[in-house]
């Protein structure tokens, strides 16, 4: 009886008794605890439309609950009394950015990248990917599509980030990229014959339709979100086979059909016009790079509704490495890089007036991680407006990744992924290189205002 009396006494304090009598107060308190109110000086909630002025966002449970005009007090919002207010009244707020083409495991390339590929193990690449993921998130990119990783590192990182174990952007992952033997994704290129058996262990090269179907199914079995293939040669491929078509029609068709059977989209590395056309005829969902596309390719892009992902930032990586070390790239790779630097942006200049759908992608890894926003400046330099470049990195990229119901805009029901900058990115897109505030799934991942104040 004494024990029971003690138990009751611990539960009969005035506050708790009141809570028992008014359970609605408990629910309200719990709701406020998981909510936050954001006051934005300007708000681009739906890129492609005009920005709003002073606005208030209510974020609850990691999602946007409401968007209101003006600065609304927490007490005036449903279930938000007592919720913390994030003051961004002197900032421009917009959706978290999306990079549709990254390689998180490294940003080494050329001779240095080749050496790293055989001298470092899976654990090294895993730590590197985690660091690069955090850099990317802090740069304001809350979602990325990782298009190529041989050892499953980014598949594991995707799951770790989703589980809240590590900071990083939401990851849509392609696993290991697929190509034909001697194609751009062949891991043996540039190495001595006796090393090939040790390097060619991922089953990602295929020759003939049936082998290509099997290569896709192997990636699907690993749990990938998207399939990445190469229908042409690559700039960084250590082989002098050029940048034209390197896959037959039946091989490309088999890959795309198999991927679509499993409801996976297909991203295609393609530089040459013939390889671009091949991929689009097969039903590809996006063309990555698209450096040499011609009028027929542009027509196919419009007809199929596939996206073009320009990846202009690669030239930044090339220029910076060569400035540090003139021998960073050698032989045929150096020749292709010089050509790529000279032609970069020309395809985008033709795609814009042609009405092609464009999604933002950097090829970070060739360029430096954390510098993803450099792509905006290049897109604008080659014909896009700041508004359409931002739309490419939000609404369009979300559509390409199959996440339009989750991210890309700041509407009720969508994930609370947002960033804030000083200045107006619609008039000066370079302000996106200096993101000061990042929220992902309702959690503040970066707040430079606090960091500055605490120094």
């Amino acid at each position: 009886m004494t024990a029971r009396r003690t138990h009751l006494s611990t539960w009969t304090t005035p506050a708790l008794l009141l809570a028992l009598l008014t359970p609605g107060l408990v629910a309200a308190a719990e709701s406020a605890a998981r909510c936050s109110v954001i006051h934005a000086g300007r708000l681009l909630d739906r890129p492609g439309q005009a920005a709003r002025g002073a606005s208030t966002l209510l974020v609850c449970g990691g999602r946007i609950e409401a968007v209101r005009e003006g600065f609304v007090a927490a007490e005036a919002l449903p279930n938000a009394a007592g919720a913390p207010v994030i003051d961004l009244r002197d900032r421009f707020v917009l959706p978290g950015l999306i990079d549709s083409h990254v390689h998180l495991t490294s940003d080494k390339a050329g001779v240095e990248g080749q050496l790293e590929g055989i001298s470092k193990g899976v654990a090294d690449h895993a730590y590197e990917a985690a660091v690069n993921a955090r850099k990317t998130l802090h740069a304001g990119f809350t979602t990325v599509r990782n298009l190529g990783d041989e050892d499953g590192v980014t598949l594991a990182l995707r799951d770790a980030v989703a589980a809240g174990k590590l900071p990083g952007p939401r990851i849509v992952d392609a696993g290991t990229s697929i190509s034909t033997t001697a194609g751009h994704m062949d891991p043996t290129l540039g190495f001595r014959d006796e090393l090939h058996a040790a390097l060619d262990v991922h089953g990602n090269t295929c020759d003939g339709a049936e082998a290509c179907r099997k290569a896709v199914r192997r990636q699907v079995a690993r749990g990938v979100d998207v399939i990445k293939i190469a229908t042409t040669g690559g700039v960084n491929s250590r082989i002098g086979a050029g940048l034209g078509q390197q896959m037959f029609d039946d091989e490309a068709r088999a890959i795309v059909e198999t991927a679509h059977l499993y409801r996976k989209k297909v991203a295609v590395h393609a530089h040459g016009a013939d390889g671009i056309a091949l991929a689009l005829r097969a039903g590809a969902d996006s063309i990555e790079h698209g450096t040499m596309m011609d009028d027929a390719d542009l027509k196919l892009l419009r007809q199929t509704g596939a996206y073009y992902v320009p990846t202009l930032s690669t030239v930044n990586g090339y220029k910076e490495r060569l400035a540090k070390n003139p021998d960073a790239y050698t032989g045929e790779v150096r020749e292709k890089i010089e050509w790529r630097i000279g032609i970069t942006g020309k395809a985008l200049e033709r795609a814009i007036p042609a009405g092609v759908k464009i999604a933002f992608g950097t090829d970070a890894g060739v360029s430096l991680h954390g510098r993803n926003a450099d792509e905006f400046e290049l897109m604008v330099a080659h014909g896009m407006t700041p508004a359409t470049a931002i739309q490419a990195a939000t609404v369009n990229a979300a559509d390409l990744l199959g996440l339009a119901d989750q991210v890309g805009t700041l509407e009720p029901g969508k994930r609370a992924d947002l960033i804030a900058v000083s200045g107006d990115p619609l008039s000066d897109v370079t302000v996106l290189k200096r993101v000061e505030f990042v929220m992902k799934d309702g959690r503040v991942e970066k707040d430079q205002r606090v960091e500055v104040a605490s120094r």
Side-chain angles (χ1 to χ4, degrees), residues 40-58:
R42 293 189 67 193
L43 176 66
L44 185 64
D45 55 333
R46 301 185 187 192
Q49 300 184 20
R52 298 171 179 248
S55 303
T56 298
L57 297 96
L58 174 61

Side-chain angles (χ1 to χ4, degrees), residues 273-434:
D274 50 1
I276 296 169
L278 165 70
L280 292 170
R281 288 196 304 268
D285 298 285
S286 69
I287 298 297
E288 315 295 310
H289 318 307
T291 315
M292 302 165 70
M293 61 185 169
D294 58 18
D295 289 341
D297 293 329
L298 293 171
K299 183 177 180 180
L300 279 170
L301 278 164
R302 289 195 305 270
Q303 288 176 344
T304 63
Y307 273 92
Y308 169 43
V309 183
T311 66
L312 308 181
S313 294
T314 54
V315 297
N316 291 344
Y318 297 145
K319 290 177 179 177
E320 289 167 11
R321 290 188 188 91
L322 288 169
K324 291 179 181 178
N325 176 12
D327 296 319
Y329 302 93
T330 58
E332 63 274 357
V333 174
R334 174 64 183 268
E335 294 174 10
K336 288 184 286 185
I337 283 172
E338 297 288 358
W339 166 84
R340 178 74 158 100
I341 291 172
I343 199 172
T344 291
K346 302 300 182 184
L348 179 60
E349 291 171 11
R350 300 183 66 213
I352 294 166
V356 169
K357 295 196 297 186
I358 298 166
F360 183 103
T362 63
D363 211 358
V366 178
S367 55
L368 295 177
H369 294 287
R371 295 262 302 277
N372 311 62
D374 289 354
E375 183 84 11
F376 286 113
E377 188 172 14
L378 292 168
M379 294 174 89
V380 170
H382 290 284
M384 298 188 79
T385 67
T388 56
I390 292 169
Q391 186 175 350
T394 51
V395 175
N396 292 7
D399 182 48
L400 171 58
L401 272 57
L403 297 175
D405 61 335
Q406 299 289 316
V407 298
T409 63
L410 297 173
E411 301 177 71
K414 291 197 175 182
R415 294 186 180 276
D417 289 9
L418 58 90
I419 64 173
V421 294
S422 294
D424 182 358
L426 293 173
S427 59
D428 178 10
V429 78
T430 65
V431 303
L432 293 173
K433 296 182 181 184
R434 300 177 294 277

Side-chain angles (χ1 to χ4, degrees), residues 27 59 65 73 115 120 160 216 243 271 318 320 331 351 368 425 443-444:
V59 173
E65 188 79 14
L115 177 62
K120 290 192 174 181
V216 173
L243 294 164
H271 287 287
Y318 297 145
E320 289 167 11
L368 295 177
R443 175 189 173 93
V444 176

Side-chain angles (χ1 to χ4, degrees), residues 66-215:
V67 181
R68 300 285 181 82
E69 299 289 341
F71 299 136
V72 182
E75 289 70 24
L77 295 167
N79 302 319
V85 176
I86 299 173
D87 184 2
L88 298 174
R89 286 178 292 181
D90 58 349
R91 300 295 197 277
F92 191 110
V93 174
L94 63 157
L97 303 171
I98 303 169
D99 192 331
S100 302
H101 192 134
V102 303
H103 300 279
L104 289 171
T105 50
S106 177
D107 53 19
K108 304 295 189 299
V111 175
E112 183 184 21
Q114 185 178 19
L115 177 62
E116 183 183 78
I118 59 173
S119 63
K120 290 192 174 181
V122 177
D124 298 299
H125 292 302
Y127 282 113
E128 184 82 5
V131 169
N132 290 333
R134 186 170 185 175
K135 287 180 183 177
T136 303
L137 179 62
H138 283 194
F141 289 80
T142 52
T143 302
V144 300
R145 186 175 59 160
N146 194 81
L147 292 181
D149 159 37
E150 296 177 347
D151 297 306
V153 163
T154 51
L155 283 168
L157 180 61
R158 173 198 66 186
D159 296 342
V161 169
K165 296 177 181 178
L166 289 172
R170 185 176 299 102
I171 299 172
V172 174
D173 199 80
T176 306
S177 303
I178 297 169
S179 77
T180 53
T181 300
H184 181 51
M185 310 300 179
D186 186 335
T188 67
L189 295 182
F191 293 99
R192 302 195 316 268
D193 289 352
E194 58 268 32
L195 298 177
H196 288 189
L199 294 167
D200 192 10
V201 296
H202 301 290
N204 67 306
T205 53
C206 62
D207 303 292
E210 289 309 310
C212 287
R213 291 186 194 280
K214 185 174 182 179

